[in-house]
């Protein structure tokens, strides 16, 4: 009996409340807190869109430093995936050559995800707008506009009803107008912007309008 008491002089020490808290409750709480953190952790990233000065493309940059393995990382423009270039250090780059809705989605393996939407409108992917006309005698004034890359004034011409090429008699660049001499009943006006997007407008029954 004396030997047992010497080996375990305090047989009730393991059941003290302090030991229970230190060795059981605190580890239990920490483990559950860690599980909760991992289960609810959502991705974070930074999205930057840089507009190019030539209106041809928009550069998309994504910076991300994931805390969990990725289950998905997608960059789409109007539901069309864009090719991503990995620049290293958590930086990625893509290029868009048209306007639309950009969608960036990052998903962790825990199922949590984050999606960010941005609108790209800086790319000139549309032809100029031919907005109106005015006929004065046999002179037709056509108005046009292109708010992005701008009008290529050397590209302006028309085709008449005899399939003859007609150059403008005058161009007012400040007012975005061109004047054509009307010799037939129809003119097909062609105007392009600086990127080569062409707009075509048909003006018919011009002889009746002139009278």
């Amino acid at each position: 009996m004396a030997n047992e008491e010497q080996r375990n002089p305090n047989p009730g020490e393991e059941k003290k409340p302090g030991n229970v808290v230190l060795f059981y409750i605190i580890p239990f709480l920490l483990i559950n807190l860690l599980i909760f953190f991992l289960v609810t952790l959502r991705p974070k990233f930074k999205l930057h869109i840089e507009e190019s000065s030539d209106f041809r493309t928009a550069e998309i940059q994504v910076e991300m430093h994931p805390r969990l393995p990725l289950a998905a990382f997608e960059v789409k423009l109007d539901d069309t995936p864009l090719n991503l270039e990995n620049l290293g250090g958590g930086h990625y780059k893509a290029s868009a050559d048209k306007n639309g809705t950009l969608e960036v989605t990052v998903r962790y393996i825990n199922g949590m995800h984050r999606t960010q939407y941005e609108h790209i409108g800086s790319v000139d992917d549309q032809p100029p707008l031919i907005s109106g006309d005015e006929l004065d005698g046999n002179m037709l004034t056509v108005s046009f506009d292109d708010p992005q890359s701008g009008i290529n004034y050397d590209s302006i011409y028309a085709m008449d009803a005899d399939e003859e090429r007609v150059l403008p008699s005058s161009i007012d660049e400040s007012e975005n107008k061109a004047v054509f001499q009307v010799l037939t009943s129809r003119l097909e006006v062609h105007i392009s912007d600086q990127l080569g997007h062409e707009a075509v407008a048909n003006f018919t029954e011009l002889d009746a309008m002139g009278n």
Side-chain angles (χ1 to χ4, degrees):
M1 181 68 67
N3 291 336
E4 289 185 11
E5 292 179 355
Q6 186 176 2
R7 288 195 302 269
N8 189 10
N10 300 307
E13 182 178 358
E14 295 180 359
K15 298 182 180 180
K16 287 182 178 181
N19 291 339
V20 173
V21 171
L22 180 62
F23 294 107
Y24 295 97
I25 297 180
I26 292 180
F28 176 80
L29 293 176
L30 290 177
I31 291 173
N32 280 274
L33 182 62
L34 178 61
I35 293 174
F36 176 79
F37 174 77
L38 294 176
V39 169
T40 60
L41 183 63
R42 296 186 63 194
K44 292 183 179 181
F45 59 84
K46 294 180 181 179
L47 174 62
H48 176 69
I49 300 175
E50 182 178 352
E51 301 177 355
S52 62
S53 58
D54 60 3
F55 300 98
R56 295 180 183 274
T57 60
E59 296 299 324
I60 302 159
Q61 298 182 16
V62 181
E63 181 182 354
M64 176 178 52
H65 303 283
R67 298 181 181 181
L68 289 177
L70 298 181
F73 178 26
E74 297 177 325
V75 178
K76 297 180 180 180
L77 184 63
D78 289 339
D79 295 327
T80 301
L82 297 179
N83 293 324
L84 284 172
E85 179 183 356
N86 190 346
L87 303 178
H91 291 78
Y92 301 84
K93 183 177 73 172
S95 181
D97 58 2
K98 66 176 184 178
N99 296 319
T101 301
L102 181 70
E103 177 184 348
V104 180
T105 299
V106 177
R107 181 179 289 105
Y108 281 164
I109 60 172
N110 63 358
M112 301 298 288
H113 73 280
R114 185 180 299 274
T115 301
Q116 183 172 341
Y117 297 92
E118 295 289 344
H119 179 70
I120 295 178
S122 61
V123 178
D124 189 351
D125 57 0
Q126 296 295 323
L129 176 65
I130 300 178
S131 57
D133 65 278
E134 179 183 349
L135 187 64
D136 183 8
N138 68 337
M139 304 302 291
L140 176 68
T141 300
V142 178
S143 302
F144 45 84
D145 186 38
D146 190 281
Q148 292 180 309
S149 65
I151 298 296
N152 178 3
Y153 294 99
D154 294 333
S155 71
I156 301 175
Y157 72 97
M159 300 295 293
D160 64 15
D162 298 327
E163 297 300 324
E164 295 290 335
R165 186 182 180 94
V166 180
L167 294 177
S169 301
S170 64
I171 298 176
D172 188 341
E173 297 185 11
S174 62
E175 295 292 332
N176 289 332
K177 293 182 178 181
V179 178
F180 294 90
Q181 184 178 13
V182 177
L183 299 178
T184 64
S185 61
R186 178 179 64 85
L187 273 183
E188 183 183 83
V189 177
H190 296 249
I191 299 174
S192 298
D193 63 15
Q194 296 292 343
L195 299 185
H197 301 124
E198 185 182 46
V200 180
N202 284 290
F203 301 95
T204 58
E205 299 180 1
L206 295 177
D207 49 354
M209 292 173 60
N211 294 333

